[in-house]
Amino acid sequence: MQLKRQFIRNRYHDVTALQAATTKNDFDDIRTTGHRIKGLAGSFGLHDIGAIGSHIEEAAMAQDSESLTRYIRELSDAVRDAERAASNEPDIRTHAA
């Protein structure tokens, strides 16, 4: 559970990095970050975040700045929602017998 929470917190750094890369039109960096999010999110059962990562990757390949702005905002919202949900999940270490 701790790894999942850390993964979620790290996505805030991705949001900031994606916003900066978008202002510089660094589509390669955006594509790479979207691809990484897409791949890692599924490992933690965060399929909504993974889908947004996929959309970011695709929009970067198309150099679609308008869509990127929308998807980065969606990523930020999804990360916030996932963080709230994770905070309500029990920590396995605290419930060990």
Side-chain angles (χ1 to χ4, degrees):
M1 189 57 56
Q2 191 65 17
L3 287 175
K4 181 177 182 178
R5 289 180 183 146
Q6 186 62 46
F7 171 81
I8 293 167
R9 282 192 296 271
N10 287 343
R11 300 304 55 89
Y12 285 116
H13 300 293
D14 285 341
V15 168
T16 302
L18 286 165
Q19 290 167 334
T22 299
T23 63
K24 295 185 283 186
N25 292 323
D26 188 348
F27 297 109
D28 190 50
D29 188 41
I30 296 166
R31 182 195 56 77
T32 300
T33 302
H35 181 80
R36 184 173 36 82
I37 292 169
K38 175 182 74 172
L40 292 173
S43 300
F44 295 100
L46 299 167
H47 303 293
D48 291 345
I49 291 175
I52 295 167
S54 180
H55 293 311
I56 289 170
E57 180 182 21
E58 292 167 8
M61 287 190 288
Q63 298 187 1
D64 183 350
S65 296
E66 186 176 322
S67 292
L68 282 169
T69 299
R70 184 176 71 247
Y71 292 134
I72 293 167
R73 190 172 37 250
E74 287 179 17
L75 177 62
S76 180
D77 292 344
V79 168
R80 185 189 63 238
D81 293 345
E83 185 174 44
R84 285 183 190 147
S87 69
N88 293 326
E89 294 176 2
D91 190 339
I92 295 170
R93 291 177 301 164
T94 61
H95 292 96

